[in-house]
Amino acid sequence: MMAVGCLGFLLGPGLIGDPLFSILNKSKSPAFRVKQKQFAQRIIAKRVDASRQSMSNPVPDYYGEKIGSLKDYRQWLRDCNAYRRKAREFI
Protein backbone atom coordinates (compact mmCIF):
# COMPACT_ATOMS: atom_id res chain seq x y z
CA MET A 1 0.00 0.00 0.00
CA MET A 2 2.88 2.38 0.75
CA ALA A 3 4.49 1.59 -2.60
CA VAL A 4 1.29 2.43 -4.48
CA GLY A 5 0.92 5.63 -2.46
CA CYS A 6 4.50 6.68 -3.24
CA LEU A 7 4.05 5.81 -6.92
CA GLY A 8 0.88 7.89 -7.06
CA PHE A 9 2.62 10.78 -5.32
CA LEU A 10 5.49 10.72 -7.81
CA LEU A 11 3.49 10.13 -11.00
CA GLY A 12 0.27 11.97 -10.20
CA PRO A 13 1.24 15.63 -10.65
CA GLY A 14 3.71 15.14 -13.50
CA LEU A 15 1.98 12.61 -15.72
CA ILE A 16 -1.68 12.96 -14.85
CA GLY A 17 -2.35 16.17 -12.89
CA ASP A 18 -0.61 18.86 -14.96
CA PRO A 19 -1.76 17.62 -18.39
CA LEU A 20 -5.32 17.14 -17.13
CA PHE A 21 -5.32 20.66 -15.65
CA SER A 22 -4.01 22.05 -18.95
CA ILE A 23 -6.73 20.28 -20.94
CA LEU A 24 -9.53 21.40 -18.64
CA ASN A 25 -8.34 25.02 -18.44
CA LYS A 26 -7.08 25.56 -21.97
CA SER A 27 -8.71 28.99 -22.34
CA LYS A 28 -7.19 30.33 -19.08
CA SER A 29 -3.72 28.87 -19.56
CA PRO A 30 -2.11 31.71 -21.60
CA ALA A 31 -3.24 34.38 -19.12
CA PHE A 32 -2.04 32.23 -16.22
CA ARG A 33 1.40 31.83 -17.80
CA VAL A 34 1.69 35.58 -18.44
CA LYS A 35 0.81 36.38 -14.81
CA GLN A 36 3.22 33.73 -13.59
CA LYS A 37 6.04 35.24 -15.68
CA GLN A 38 5.26 38.78 -14.47
CA PHE A 39 5.27 37.60 -10.87
CA ALA A 40 8.65 35.88 -11.33
CA GLN A 41 10.06 39.10 -12.81
CA ARG A 42 8.77 41.07 -9.79
CA ILE A 43 10.41 38.61 -7.41
CA ILE A 44 13.72 38.93 -9.26
CA ALA A 45 13.52 42.73 -9.24
CA LYS A 46 12.55 43.09 -5.56
CA ARG A 47 14.75 40.46 -3.93
CA VAL A 48 17.67 41.46 -1.76
CA ASP A 49 21.42 41.23 -2.23
CA ALA A 50 22.41 37.98 -0.53
CA SER A 51 26.07 38.96 -0.24
CA ARG A 52 25.23 41.26 2.70
CA GLN A 53 23.75 38.56 4.94
CA SER A 54 25.07 37.75 8.40
CA MET A 55 24.10 35.48 11.27
CA SER A 56 21.94 38.22 12.78
CA ASN A 57 20.51 39.30 9.41
CA PRO A 58 19.56 36.25 7.27
CA VAL A 59 18.19 36.64 3.73
CA PRO A 60 14.36 36.50 3.62
CA ASP A 61 13.25 33.73 1.20
CA TYR A 62 15.54 34.65 -1.71
CA TYR A 63 13.52 32.87 -4.42
CA GLY A 64 10.08 33.66 -3.02
CA GLU A 65 9.17 29.99 -2.68
CA LYS A 66 7.00 30.48 0.38
CA ILE A 67 4.79 33.15 -1.19
CA GLY A 68 1.32 31.69 -1.56
CA SER A 69 -0.97 34.69 -1.35
CA LEU A 70 -1.02 38.46 -1.65
CA LYS A 71 -0.65 38.69 2.13
CA ASP A 72 2.50 36.52 1.97
CA TYR A 73 3.88 38.67 -0.86
CA ARG A 74 3.36 41.87 1.11
CA GLN A 75 5.03 40.30 4.14
CA TRP A 76 7.93 39.20 1.95
CA LEU A 77 8.31 42.78 0.69
CA ARG A 78 8.33 44.09 4.28
CA ASP A 79 10.94 41.49 5.24
CA CYS A 80 13.10 42.48 2.26
CA ASN A 81 12.88 46.15 3.23
CA ALA A 82 13.79 45.32 6.83
CA TYR A 83 16.78 43.30 5.57
CA ARG A 84 17.96 46.19 3.41
CA ARG A 85 17.61 48.63 6.32
CA LYS A 86 19.57 46.37 8.69
CA ALA A 87 22.26 45.74 6.08
CA ARG A 88 22.64 49.47 5.46
CA GLU A 89 22.80 50.37 9.18
CA PHE A 90 24.99 47.60 10.53
CA ILE A 91 27.44 46.89 7.71
Side-chain angles (χ1 to χ4, degrees), residues 20-77:
L20 183 63
F21 181 80
S22 296
I23 290 168
L24 294 176
N25 298 304
K26 209 173 257 194
S27 63
K28 299 174 188 171
S29 182
F32 177 73
R33 293 192 194 283
V34 167
K35 286 182 181 183
Q36 201 172 24
K37 188 174 182 178
Q38 289 174 346
F39 181 70
Q41 289 172 345
R42 281 192 185 122
I43 293 294
I44 291 169
K46 302 280 185 182
R47 67 179 165 201
V48 297
D49 181 18
S51 67
R52 303 181 83 187
Q53 74 176 340
S54 64
M55 291 296 285
S56 63
N57 193 19
V59 174
D61 192 17
Y62 186 75
Y63 294 106
E65 296 168 329
K66 297 176 184 174
I67 299 173
S69 66
L70 183 59
K71 180 181 175 185
D72 294 340
Y73 177 68
R74 289 179 177 158
Q75 183 62 49
W76 180 79
L77 287 173

Short mmCIF file of all heavy atoms in Angstrom, two decimals, residues 20-77:
data_model
loop_
_atom_site.label_atom_id
_atom_site.label_comp_id
_atom_site.label_asym_id
_atom_site.label_seq_id
_atom_site.Cartn_x
_atom_site.Cartn_y
_atom_site.Cartn_z
N LEU A 20 -3.87 17.08 -17.30
CA LEU A 20 -5.32 17.14 -17.13
C LEU A 20 -5.76 18.57 -16.82
O LEU A 20 -6.75 19.06 -17.38
CB LEU A 20 -5.76 16.20 -16.02
CG LEU A 20 -7.26 16.09 -15.77
CD1 LEU A 20 -7.96 15.52 -17.00
CD2 LEU A 20 -7.53 15.21 -14.57
N PHE A 21 -5.02 19.27 -15.96
CA PHE A 21 -5.32 20.66 -15.65
C PHE A 21 -5.22 21.52 -16.90
O PHE A 21 -6.05 22.40 -17.14
CB PHE A 21 -4.38 21.17 -14.56
CG PHE A 21 -4.64 22.59 -14.16
CD1 PHE A 21 -5.65 22.90 -13.29
CD2 PHE A 21 -3.87 23.62 -14.67
CE1 PHE A 21 -5.90 24.21 -12.92
CE2 PHE A 21 -4.09 24.93 -14.31
CZ PHE A 21 -5.11 25.22 -13.42
N SER A 22 -4.19 21.28 -17.72
CA SER A 22 -4.01 22.05 -18.95
C SER A 22 -5.16 21.82 -19.93
O SER A 22 -5.61 22.76 -20.59
CB SER A 22 -2.70 21.66 -19.63
OG SER A 22 -1.62 22.00 -18.81
N ILE A 23 -5.63 20.60 -20.03
CA ILE A 23 -6.73 20.28 -20.94
C ILE A 23 -8.03 20.93 -20.47
O ILE A 23 -8.78 21.51 -21.26
CB ILE A 23 -6.90 18.76 -21.08
CG1 ILE A 23 -5.71 18.18 -21.86
CG2 ILE A 23 -8.21 18.41 -21.78
CD1 ILE A 23 -5.63 16.67 -21.81
N LEU A 24 -8.29 20.86 -19.17
CA LEU A 24 -9.53 21.40 -18.64
C LEU A 24 -9.56 22.93 -18.62
O LEU A 24 -10.62 23.53 -18.68
CB LEU A 24 -9.77 20.87 -17.22
CG LEU A 24 -10.04 19.37 -17.11
CD1 LEU A 24 -10.15 18.95 -15.66
CD2 LEU A 24 -11.29 18.99 -17.87
N ASN A 25 -8.40 23.56 -18.53
CA ASN A 25 -8.34 25.02 -18.44
C ASN A 25 -7.56 25.63 -19.60
O ASN A 25 -6.77 26.54 -19.41
CB ASN A 25 -7.69 25.43 -17.11
CG ASN A 25 -8.48 24.97 -15.93
OD1 ASN A 25 -9.65 25.28 -15.81
ND2 ASN A 25 -7.85 24.20 -15.06
N LYS A 26 -7.81 25.12 -20.79
CA LYS A 26 -7.08 25.56 -21.97
C LYS A 26 -7.27 27.05 -22.26
O LYS A 26 -6.34 27.74 -22.67
CB LYS A 26 -7.50 24.73 -23.18
CG LYS A 26 -6.42 24.58 -24.21
CD LYS A 26 -6.86 23.61 -25.27
CE LYS A 26 -6.14 22.30 -25.01
NZ LYS A 26 -6.19 21.37 -26.11
N SER A 27 -8.44 27.58 -22.02
CA SER A 27 -8.71 28.99 -22.34
C SER A 27 -8.02 29.93 -21.34
O SER A 27 -7.66 31.05 -21.69
CB SER A 27 -10.20 29.26 -22.34
OG SER A 27 -10.74 29.03 -21.04
N LYS A 28 -7.80 29.49 -20.10
CA LYS A 28 -7.19 30.33 -19.08
C LYS A 28 -5.68 30.17 -19.01
O LYS A 28 -5.00 30.96 -18.36
CB LYS A 28 -7.78 30.00 -17.72
CG LYS A 28 -9.27 30.25 -17.65
CD LYS A 28 -9.82 29.77 -16.34
CE LYS A 28 -11.34 29.85 -16.34
NZ LYS A 28 -11.93 29.20 -15.19
N SER A 29 -5.14 29.19 -19.66
CA SER A 29 -3.72 28.87 -19.56
C SER A 29 -2.79 29.99 -20.03
O SER A 29 -1.81 30.30 -19.34
CB SER A 29 -3.41 27.58 -20.32
OG SER A 29 -2.08 27.23 -20.19
N PRO A 30 -3.02 30.63 -21.18
CA PRO A 30 -2.11 31.71 -21.60
C PRO A 30 -2.06 32.88 -20.61
O PRO A 30 -0.99 33.39 -20.30
CB PRO A 30 -2.66 32.15 -22.95
CG PRO A 30 -3.45 31.01 -23.44
CD PRO A 30 -4.00 30.33 -22.23
N ALA A 31 -3.21 33.28 -20.09
CA ALA A 31 -3.24 34.38 -19.12
C ALA A 31 -2.53 33.98 -17.84
O ALA A 31 -1.82 34.79 -17.23
CB ALA A 31 -4.68 34.76 -18.83
N PHE A 32 -2.70 32.73 -17.42
CA PHE A 32 -2.04 32.23 -16.22
C PHE A 32 -0.52 32.26 -16.39
O PHE A 32 0.20 32.68 -15.49
CB PHE A 32 -2.52 30.81 -15.92
CG PHE A 32 -1.86 30.19 -14.74
CD1 PHE A 32 -2.17 30.60 -13.46
CD2 PHE A 32 -0.93 29.18 -14.91
CE1 PHE A 32 -1.56 30.03 -12.36
CE2 PHE A 32 -0.32 28.60 -13.82
CZ PHE A 32 -0.63 29.02 -12.54
N ARG A 33 -0.04 31.84 -17.54
CA ARG A 33 1.40 31.83 -17.80
C ARG A 33 1.97 33.25 -17.83
O ARG A 33 3.08 33.49 -17.35
CB ARG A 33 1.70 31.09 -19.08
CG ARG A 33 1.40 29.61 -18.99
CD ARG A 33 1.97 28.83 -20.15
NE ARG A 33 1.40 27.50 -20.23
CZ ARG A 33 1.75 26.49 -19.44
NH1 ARG A 33 2.65 26.67 -18.52
NH2 ARG A 33 1.18 25.31 -19.58
N VAL A 34 1.24 34.19 -18.40
CA VAL A 34 1.69 35.58 -18.44
C VAL A 34 1.80 36.14 -17.02
O VAL A 34 2.81 36.77 -16.67
CB VAL A 34 0.73 36.44 -19.29
CG1 VAL A 34 0.98 37.92 -19.11
CG2 VAL A 34 0.85 36.06 -20.76
N LYS A 35 0.77 35.89 -16.19
CA LYS A 35 0.81 36.38 -14.81
C LYS A 35 1.93 35.71 -14.01
O LYS A 35 2.58 36.35 -13.20
CB LYS A 35 -0.53 36.11 -14.13
CG LYS A 35 -1.62 37.03 -14.60
CD LYS A 35 -2.91 36.78 -13.87
CE LYS A 35 -4.00 37.69 -14.37
NZ LYS A 35 -5.24 37.51 -13.62
N GLN A 36 2.16 34.44 -14.28
CA GLN A 36 3.22 33.73 -13.59
C GLN A 36 4.60 34.32 -13.96
O GLN A 36 5.45 34.50 -13.10
CB GLN A 36 3.15 32.25 -13.97
CG GLN A 36 3.82 31.33 -13.02
CD GLN A 36 3.54 29.88 -13.36
OE1 GLN A 36 3.23 29.54 -14.50
NE2 GLN A 36 3.65 29.02 -12.37
N LYS A 37 4.78 34.66 -15.22
CA LYS A 37 6.04 35.24 -15.68
C LYS A 37 6.23 36.64 -15.09
O LYS A 37 7.33 36.99 -14.65
CB LYS A 37 6.06 35.30 -17.21
CG LYS A 37 7.38 35.71 -17.78
CD LYS A 37 7.37 35.61 -19.28
CE LYS A 37 8.72 35.97 -19.85
NZ LYS A 37 8.78 35.84 -21.29
N GLN A 38 5.17 37.44 -15.06
CA GLN A 38 5.26 38.78 -14.47
C GLN A 38 5.60 38.71 -12.99
O GLN A 38 6.39 39.50 -12.48
CB GLN A 38 3.94 39.52 -14.66
CG GLN A 38 3.66 39.95 -16.06
CD GLN A 38 2.27 40.55 -16.21
OE1 GLN A 38 1.42 40.43 -15.33
NE2 GLN A 38 2.04 41.19 -17.34
N PHE A 39 4.99 37.75 -12.29
CA PHE A 39 5.27 37.60 -10.87
C PHE A 39 6.72 37.20 -10.64
O PHE A 39 7.39 37.74 -9.74
CB PHE A 39 4.33 36.56 -10.25
CG PHE A 39 4.53 36.38 -8.78
CD1 PHE A 39 4.18 37.37 -7.90
CD2 PHE A 39 5.09 35.21 -8.29
CE1 PHE A 39 4.38 37.21 -6.53
CE2 PHE A 39 5.29 35.04 -6.94
CZ PHE A 39 4.93 36.03 -6.06
N ALA A 40 7.24 36.29 -11.46
CA ALA A 40 8.65 35.88 -11.33
C ALA A 40 9.58 37.06 -11.58
O ALA A 40 10.60 37.22 -10.89
CB ALA A 40 8.95 34.75 -12.30
N GLN A 41 9.24 37.92 -12.54
CA GLN A 41 10.06 39.10 -12.81
C GLN A 41 10.03 40.08 -11.63
O GLN A 41 11.03 40.70 -11.29
CB GLN A 41 9.59 39.79 -14.08
CG GLN A 41 9.91 39.01 -15.33
CD GLN A 41 9.28 39.60 -16.58
OE1 GLN A 41 8.39 40.43 -16.51
NE2 GLN A 41 9.74 39.14 -17.73
N ARG A 42 8.86 40.20 -10.97
CA ARG A 42 8.77 41.07 -9.79
C ARG A 42 9.63 40.53 -8.65
O ARG A 42 10.29 41.30 -7.96
CB ARG A 42 7.32 41.16 -9.31
CG ARG A 42 6.49 42.09 -10.11
CD ARG A 42 5.18 42.36 -9.39
NE ARG A 42 4.34 43.15 -10.23
CZ ARG A 42 3.14 42.79 -10.64
NH1 ARG A 42 2.64 41.65 -10.28
NH2 ARG A 42 2.44 43.58 -11.43
N ILE A 43 9.60 39.22 -8.47
CA ILE A 43 10.41 38.61 -7.41
C ILE A 43 11.88 38.88 -7.67
O ILE A 43 12.63 39.25 -6.77
CB ILE A 43 10.14 37.09 -7.32
CG1 ILE A 43 8.72 36.81 -6.86
CG2 ILE A 43 11.15 36.39 -6.42
CD1 ILE A 43 8.42 37.24 -5.45
N ILE A 44 12.32 38.70 -8.91
CA ILE A 44 13.72 38.93 -9.26
C ILE A 44 14.10 40.39 -9.04
O ILE A 44 15.18 40.70 -8.52
CB ILE A 44 13.99 38.49 -10.71
CG1 ILE A 44 13.89 36.97 -10.82
CG2 ILE A 44 15.34 38.98 -11.19
CD1 ILE A 44 13.87 36.45 -12.24
N ALA A 45 13.22 41.31 -9.38
CA ALA A 45 13.52 42.73 -9.24
C ALA A 45 13.54 43.19 -7.79
O ALA A 45 14.33 44.06 -7.41
CB ALA A 45 12.49 43.55 -10.02
N LYS A 46 12.69 42.62 -6.94
CA LYS A 46 12.55 43.09 -5.56
C LYS A 46 13.41 42.34 -4.55
O LYS A 46 13.52 42.77 -3.41
CB LYS A 46 11.09 42.96 -5.12
CG LYS A 46 10.11 43.70 -5.97
CD LYS A 46 10.08 45.15 -5.63
CE LYS A 46 8.99 45.82 -6.43
NZ LYS A 46 8.92 47.23 -6.20
N ARG A 47 14.01 41.22 -4.94
CA ARG A 47 14.75 40.46 -3.93
C ARG A 47 16.04 41.16 -3.53
O ARG A 47 16.55 42.02 -4.25
CB ARG A 47 15.00 39.03 -4.38
CG ARG A 47 15.91 38.83 -5.53
CD ARG A 47 16.03 37.35 -5.79
NE ARG A 47 16.61 37.11 -7.09
CZ ARG A 47 16.48 35.99 -7.75
NH1 ARG A 47 15.80 35.01 -7.24
NH2 ARG A 47 17.04 35.84 -8.92
N VAL A 48 16.55 40.76 -2.38
CA VAL A 48 17.67 41.46 -1.76
C VAL A 48 19.01 40.90 -2.22
O VAL A 48 19.09 39.83 -2.81
CB VAL A 48 17.56 41.37 -0.22
CG1 VAL A 48 16.31 42.07 0.26
CG2 VAL A 48 17.56 39.94 0.25
N ASP A 49 20.06 41.65 -1.92
CA ASP A 49 21.42 41.23 -2.23
C ASP A 49 21.90 40.26 -1.15
O ASP A 49 22.11 40.65 0.00
CB ASP A 49 22.33 42.46 -2.29
CG ASP A 49 23.76 42.11 -2.62
OD1 ASP A 49 24.01 41.01 -3.14
OD2 ASP A 49 24.64 42.96 -2.37
N ALA A 50 22.07 39.01 -1.51
CA ALA A 50 22.41 37.98 -0.53
C ALA A 50 23.84 38.08 -0.03
O ALA A 50 24.18 37.46 0.97
CB ALA A 50 22.17 36.61 -1.12
N SER A 51 24.68 38.85 -0.67
CA SER A 51 26.07 38.96 -0.24
C SER A 51 26.21 39.76 1.06
O SER A 51 27.27 39.73 1.68
CB SER A 51 26.92 39.61 -1.33
OG SER A 51 26.54 40.95 -1.50
N ARG A 52 25.16 40.44 1.49
CA ARG A 52 25.23 41.26 2.70
C ARG A 52 24.61 40.56 3.91
O ARG A 52 24.38 41.19 4.93
CB ARG A 52 24.54 42.58 2.45
CG ARG A 52 25.15 43.32 1.25
CD ARG A 52 24.51 44.62 1.01
NE ARG A 52 25.13 45.58 1.93
CZ ARG A 52 24.71 46.82 2.08
NH1 ARG A 52 23.69 47.24 1.40
NH2 ARG A 52 25.31 47.62 2.92
N GLN A 53 24.36 39.27 3.81
CA GLN A 53 23.75 38.56 4.94
C GLN A 53 24.76 38.29 6.04
O GLN A 53 25.96 38.26 5.82
CB GLN A 53 23.12 37.26 4.47
CG GLN A 53 24.07 36.15 4.14
CD GLN A 53 23.33 34.89 3.78
OE1 GLN A 53 22.18 34.72 4.11
NE2 GLN A 53 24.00 33.99 3.11
N SER A 54 24.25 38.10 7.25
CA SER A 54 25.07 37.75 8.40
C SER A 54 24.25 36.82 9.28
O SER A 54 23.08 36.54 8.99
CB SER A 54 25.48 39.00 9.16
OG SER A 54 24.34 39.63 9.70
N MET A 55 24.84 36.38 10.37
CA MET A 55 24.10 35.48 11.27
C MET A 55 22.90 36.20 11.90
O MET A 55 21.88 35.59 12.13
CB MET A 55 25.04 34.96 12.37
CG MET A 55 26.09 34.01 11.85
SD MET A 55 25.38 32.51 11.18
CE MET A 55 24.95 31.67 12.67
N SER A 56 23.03 37.47 12.17
CA SER A 56 21.94 38.22 12.78
C SER A 56 20.98 38.81 11.73
O SER A 56 19.94 39.34 12.11
CB SER A 56 22.49 39.33 13.65
OG SER A 56 23.21 40.25 12.86
N ASN A 57 21.33 38.73 10.47
CA ASN A 57 20.51 39.30 9.41
C ASN A 57 20.43 38.32 8.23
O ASN A 57 21.06 38.54 7.20
CB ASN A 57 21.09 40.65 8.97
CG ASN A 57 20.14 41.44 8.12
OD1 ASN A 57 18.95 41.19 8.11
ND2 ASN A 57 20.68 42.40 7.38
N PRO A 58 19.64 37.23 8.36
CA PRO A 58 19.56 36.25 7.27
C PRO A 58 18.70 36.77 6.11
O PRO A 58 17.84 37.62 6.29
CB PRO A 58 18.90 35.04 7.93
CG PRO A 58 18.11 35.61 9.04
CD PRO A 58 18.87 36.83 9.52
N VAL A 59 18.94 36.24 4.93
CA VAL A 59 18.19 36.64 3.73
C VAL A 59 16.76 36.11 3.82
O VAL A 59 16.55 34.93 4.09
CB VAL A 59 18.87 36.09 2.46
CG1 VAL A 59 18.04 36.37 1.23
CG2 VAL A 59 20.25 36.67 2.31
N PRO A 60 15.75 36.95 3.58
CA PRO A 60 14.36 36.50 3.62
C PRO A 60 13.94 35.83 2.31
O PRO A 60 13.77 36.49 1.31
CB PRO A 60 13.57 37.78 3.85
CG PRO A 60 14.42 38.85 3.29
CD PRO A 60 15.85 38.39 3.44
N ASP A 61 13.80 34.52 2.31
CA ASP A 61 13.25 33.73 1.20
C ASP A 61 13.68 34.27 -0.17
O ASP A 61 12.90 34.86 -0.90
CB ASP A 61 11.73 33.70 1.31
CG ASP A 61 11.10 32.67 0.40
OD1 ASP A 61 11.80 31.77 -0.09
OD2 ASP A 61 9.88 32.78 0.16
N TYR A 62 14.91 34.05 -0.52
CA TYR A 62 15.54 34.65 -1.71
C TYR A 62 14.75 34.40 -3.00
O TYR A 62 14.60 35.29 -3.82
CB TYR A 62 16.97 34.12 -1.85
CG TYR A 62 17.76 34.77 -2.95
CD1 TYR A 62 18.25 36.06 -2.78
CD2 TYR A 62 18.00 34.12 -4.14
CE1 TYR A 62 18.99 36.68 -3.78
CE2 TYR A 62 18.74 34.73 -5.15
CZ TYR A 62 19.23 36.00 -4.96
OH TYR A 62 19.93 36.60 -5.95
N TYR A 63 14.24 33.20 -3.18
CA TYR A 63 13.52 32.87 -4.42
C TYR A 63 12.01 33.07 -4.32
O TYR A 63 11.29 32.86 -5.29
CB TYR A 63 13.82 31.43 -4.83
CG TYR A 63 15.26 31.22 -5.21
CD1 TYR A 63 16.13 30.55 -4.38
CD2 TYR A 63 15.74 31.72 -6.41
CE1 TYR A 63 17.46 30.39 -4.73
CE2 TYR A 63 17.07 31.56 -6.77
CZ TYR A 63 17.92 30.88 -5.91
OH TYR A 63 19.24 30.73 -6.26
N GLY A 64 11.51 33.44 -3.18
CA GLY A 64 10.08 33.66 -3.02
C GLY A 64 9.27 32.38 -3.06
O GLY A 64 8.11 32.39 -3.46
N GLU A 65 9.85 31.29 -2.61
CA GLU A 65 9.17 29.99 -2.68
C GLU A 65 8.00 29.86 -1.72
O GLU A 65 7.08 29.09 -1.96
CB GLU A 65 10.17 28.87 -2.41
CG GLU A 65 11.26 28.79 -3.45
CD GLU A 65 12.39 27.87 -3.03
OE1 GLU A 65 12.65 27.76 -1.81
OE2 GLU A 65 13.00 27.28 -3.92
N LYS A 66 8.03 30.61 -0.64
CA LYS A 66 7.00 30.48 0.38
C LYS A 66 5.84 31.45 0.17
O LYS A 66 4.92 31.50 0.97
CB LYS A 66 7.60 30.70 1.76
CG LYS A 66 8.62 29.65 2.12
CD LYS A 66 9.27 29.93 3.44
CE LYS A 66 10.36 28.91 3.70
NZ LYS A 66 11.12 29.23 4.91
N ILE A 67 5.86 32.19 -0.90
CA ILE A 67 4.79 33.15 -1.19
C ILE A 67 3.62 32.39 -1.80
O ILE A 67 3.72 31.80 -2.87
CB ILE A 67 5.27 34.25 -2.16
CG1 ILE A 67 6.41 35.03 -1.54
CG2 ILE A 67 4.11 35.17 -2.52
CD1 ILE A 67 7.06 36.01 -2.48
N GLY A 68 2.49 32.41 -1.09
CA GLY A 68 1.32 31.69 -1.56
C GLY A 68 0.10 32.57 -1.75
O GLY A 68 -0.89 32.15 -2.33
N SER A 69 0.17 33.79 -1.25
CA SER A 69 -0.97 34.69 -1.35
C SER A 69 -0.46 36.13 -1.41
O SER A 69 0.73 36.40 -1.25
CB SER A 69 -1.89 34.52 -0.14
OG SER A 69 -1.22 34.93 1.04
N LEU A 70 -1.37 37.04 -1.62
CA LEU A 70 -1.02 38.46 -1.65
C LEU A 70 -0.51 38.91 -0.28
O LEU A 70 0.43 39.69 -0.18
CB LEU A 70 -2.24 39.29 -2.06
CG LEU A 70 -2.02 40.78 -2.21
CD1 LEU A 70 -0.94 41.07 -3.24
CD2 LEU A 70 -3.31 41.48 -2.59
N LYS A 71 -1.10 38.37 0.78
CA LYS A 71 -0.65 38.69 2.13
C LYS A 71 0.79 38.23 2.34
O LYS A 71 1.61 38.96 2.91
CB LYS A 71 -1.57 38.00 3.14
CG LYS A 71 -1.22 38.26 4.57
CD LYS A 71 -2.17 37.51 5.49
CE LYS A 71 -1.74 37.69 6.93
NZ LYS A 71 -2.55 36.89 7.82
N ASP A 72 1.13 37.03 1.87
CA ASP A 72 2.50 36.52 1.97
C ASP A 72 3.46 37.38 1.16
O ASP A 72 4.60 37.63 1.58
CB ASP A 72 2.58 35.08 1.49
CG ASP A 72 1.82 34.12 2.37
OD1 ASP A 72 1.54 34.45 3.54
OD2 ASP A 72 1.50 33.02 1.87
N TYR A 73 3.03 37.83 -0.02
CA TYR A 73 3.88 38.67 -0.86
C TYR A 73 4.17 39.99 -0.18
O TYR A 73 5.31 40.46 -0.17
CB TYR A 73 3.21 38.90 -2.22
CG TYR A 73 3.98 39.82 -3.13
CD1 TYR A 73 5.20 39.45 -3.67
CD2 TYR A 73 3.48 41.07 -3.47
CE1 TYR A 73 5.92 40.30 -4.49
CE2 TYR A 73 4.18 41.92 -4.30
CZ TYR A 73 5.40 41.53 -4.82
OH TYR A 73 6.11 42.36 -5.64
N ARG A 74 3.16 40.60 0.41
CA ARG A 74 3.36 41.87 1.11
C ARG A 74 4.28 41.69 2.30
O ARG A 74 5.13 42.54 2.58
CB ARG A 74 2.02 42.45 1.53
CG ARG A 74 1.22 42.96 0.35
CD ARG A 74 -0.11 43.51 0.77
NE ARG A 74 -0.80 44.05 -0.38
CZ ARG A 74 -2.10 44.21 -0.44
NH1 ARG A 74 -2.86 43.89 0.60
NH2 ARG A 74 -2.66 44.70 -1.52
N GLN A 75 4.13 40.57 3.02
CA GLN A 75 5.03 40.30 4.14
C GLN A 75 6.45 40.09 3.66
O GLN A 75 7.41 40.54 4.28
CB GLN A 75 4.54 39.07 4.92
CG GLN A 75 5.38 38.75 6.14
CD GLN A 75 5.35 39.88 7.15
OE1 GLN A 75 4.29 40.39 7.51
NE2 GLN A 75 6.52 40.27 7.62
N TRP A 76 6.60 39.42 2.54
CA TRP A 76 7.93 39.20 1.95
C TRP A 76 8.58 40.54 1.58
O TRP A 76 9.76 40.74 1.82
CB TRP A 76 7.80 38.30 0.72
CG TRP A 76 9.08 38.00 0.04
CD1 TRP A 76 10.02 37.08 0.40
CD2 TRP A 76 9.58 38.62 -1.16
NE1 TRP A 76 11.07 37.10 -0.48
CE2 TRP A 76 10.83 38.03 -1.45
CE3 TRP A 76 9.10 39.61 -1.99
CZ2 TRP A 76 11.59 38.40 -2.55
CZ3 TRP A 76 9.86 39.98 -3.09
CH2 TRP A 76 11.09 39.38 -3.36
N LEU A 77 7.79 41.45 1.02
CA LEU A 77 8.31 42.78 0.69
C LEU A 77 8.75 43.53 1.95
O LEU A 77 9.81 44.17 1.97
CB LEU A 77 7.27 43.61 -0.06
CG LEU A 77 7.00 43.21 -1.50
CD1 LEU A 77 5.83 44.01 -2.06
CD2 LEU A 77 8.23 43.40 -2.36
#
